[in-house]
């Protein structure tokens, strides 16, 4: 049995689909089973990282765990709780979804995933850590602006990132859950090319057949906009520092680790944009 946490989200949802398609036994964890839409044949379990009893039940009889936390300063605490439950239940293999730059950019963007990575690294589990770059699906937050014909707000200047397709991240996760080959490895997962926000806008425009513009937003304006939207100030500061890091070229990194694991090149942003064009077309 493979326990997938974050099963209703971007990466976890893909992981569940891929495992189910291969006929693997899957238990999908969500805080609200009644609201979750999951493929037929998947065992759905209620689990909340803030409720240790629910985690103990979710981990019972599990052989491999896909550990994914919602982004936020609670990640270390949530990892600790889930790993304790996994250890108590004798879960043999753990694949943790982390983030690019973990352990390297602490001063700038916090290190939400580092304690969980460290705990896993010193455990007896067969572990793999996945550190993806920025997801292509983050572009979906621009969909309302694009549908309304408005420019995309850009706090990153011309800073570039190795935007990765969530489907590739999920495929790597599935490989590492099912094979011993990547046990003990930390894999940094990027797409095939470095792209800035204006370049992403050009690619979206090519897919949609019209111009998609960007408008530069200062980091102060970015901060004000998030605070006005009611976001937690701790979260906002980390997001601002993350944008600054990207603007300064601090996340301009490409690796070939997706290709090494999957035996094919990673998908381009253009392919992701084409496959999701309906979300932007209105
Ligand atoms: N976005 C990026 O560019 C990027 C890049 C690198 C790394 N990451 C990492 O990727 C992760 C986010 O992945 P994602 O975008 O696939 O997530 P997502 O779509 O935001 O989904 C979050 C998932 O977490 C579950 N969840 C939330 N609170 C929970 C709790 N208290 N207990 C149990 N489950 C809970 C939700 O399930 P229910 O609501 O059904 O309970 C949902 O399935 C973060 O750890 C982030 O650091 C993101």
């Amino acid at each position: 049995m493979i326990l997938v946490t974050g099963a209703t989200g971007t990466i976890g949802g893909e992981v569940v689909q891929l495992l189910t398609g291969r006929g693997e036994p899957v238990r999908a964890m969500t805080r609200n089973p009644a609201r979750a839409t999951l493929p037929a044949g998947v065992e759905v379990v209620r689990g909340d990282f803030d409720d240790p009893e629910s985690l103990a039940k979710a981990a019972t009889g599990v052989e491999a765990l896909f550990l994914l936390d919602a982004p936020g300063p609670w990640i270390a605490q949530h990892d600790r709780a889930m790993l304790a439950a996994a250890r108590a239940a004798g879960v043999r293999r753990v694949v943790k979804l982390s983030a690019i730059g973990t352990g390297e950019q602490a001063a700038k963007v916090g290190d939400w995933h580092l304690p969980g990575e460290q705990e896993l690294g010193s455990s007896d589990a067969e572990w793999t850590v996945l550190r993806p770059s920025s997801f292509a699906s983050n572009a979906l937050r621009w969909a309302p602006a694009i549908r309304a014909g408005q420019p995309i707000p850009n706090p990153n200047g011309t800073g570039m990132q190795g935007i990765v397709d969530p489907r590739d991240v999920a495929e790597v996760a599935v490989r590492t859950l099912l094979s011993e080959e990547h046990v003990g490895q930390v894999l940094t997962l990027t797409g095939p090319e470095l792209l800035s926000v204006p370049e992403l806008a050009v690619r979206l425009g090519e897919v949609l057949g019209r111009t998609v513009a960007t408008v530069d937003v200062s980091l102060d304006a970015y901060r004000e906009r998030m605070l006005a939207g009611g976001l937690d100030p701790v979260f906002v500061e980390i997001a601002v520092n993350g944008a600054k890091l990207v603007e300064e070229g601090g996340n301009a990194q490409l690796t070939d680790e997706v290709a090494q694991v999957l035996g094919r090149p990673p998908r381009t942003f253009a392919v992701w944009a084409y496959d999701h064009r309906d979300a932007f077309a209105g």
Side-chain angles (χ1 to χ4, degrees):
M1 178 58 77
I2 301 171
L3 176 63
V4 178
T5 64
T8 58
T10 308
I11 304 289
E14 292 284 344
V15 170
V16 169
Q17 288 280 356
L18 290 170
L19 287 171
T20 313
R22 296 175 65 132
E24 297 292 337
V26 178
R27 187 178 293 164
M29 192 172 101
T30 169
R31 288 166 299 174
N32 189 344
R35 224 179 30 205
T37 314
L38 289 152
V42 171
E43 189 183 315
V44 183
V45 65
R46 194 198 77 81
D48 187 327
F49 292 131
D50 292 316
D51 173 3
E53 247 177 65
S54 72
L55 301 181
K57 279 190 195 145
T60 302
V62 165
E63 229 178 292
L65 162 69
F66 179 62
L67 175 54
L68 181 144
D69 318 86
W74 44 77
I75 285 180
Q77 193 187 321
H78 285 179
D79 276 350
R80 198 176 317 121
M82 190 69 242
L83 290 174
R87 202 167 40 248
V91 175
R92 186 165 54 87
R93 182 168 297 164
V94 181
V95 175
K96 171 175 161 53
L97 189 91
S98 178
I100 194 167
T102 293
E104 296 157 17
Q105 298 162 351
K108 291 185 171 167
V109 292
D111 245 341
W112 292 336
H113 288 284
L114 189 59
E117 282 197 11
Q118 288 172 333
E119 183 172 337
L120 205 47
S122 60
S123 75
D124 293 333
E126 295 176 2
W127 59 266
T128 306
V129 167
L130 308 180
R131 291 180 179 170
S133 186
S134 182
F135 300 164
S137 49
N138 293 344
L140 289 172
R141 65 175 172 239
W142 300 330
I146 292 175
R147 283 198 300 265
Q150 289 164 2
I152 295 171
N154 175 24
N156 296 346
T158 53
M160 296 195 284
Q161 305 192 79
I163 307 294
V164 67
D165 191 315
R167 295 171 296 184
D168 287 341
V169 177
E171 262 187 72
V172 170
V174 166
R175 292 288 180 104
T176 54
L177 283 164
L178 297 180
S179 129
E180 283 180 2
E181 215 179 316
H182 303 286
V183 167
Q185 294 183 355
V186 177
L187 301 171
T188 297
L189 308 176
T190 74
E193 53 188 340
L194 289 174
L195 295 167
S196 66
V197 171
E199 288 166 333
L200 294 171
V202 168
R203 278 162 178 71
L204 283 167
E206 283 165 358
V207 163
L208 299 173
R210 59 191 165 87
T211 302
V212 174
T214 63
V215 59
D216 286 346
V217 172
S218 72
L219 293 178
D220 283 342
Y222 184 49
R223 177 186 291 107
E224 289 313 314
R225 190 178 292 195
M226 284 188 285
L227 289 172
L231 287 178
D232 179 334
V234 175
F235 189 96
V236 168
E237 225 35 56
I238 287 181
V240 168
N241 288 344
K244 187 161 185 285
L245 178 87
V246 172
E247 184 187 26
E248 291 167 351
N251 196 30
Q253 187 189 355
L254 290 183
T255 73
D256 62 357
E257 295 189 343
V258 169
Q260 276 179 22
V261 176
L262 301 182
R264 60 152 179 86
R267 292 174 171 96
T268 61
F269 180 74
V271 165
W272 180 90
Y274 182 80
D275 292 343
H276 294 83
R277 61 194 182 283
D278 289 352
F280 301 96

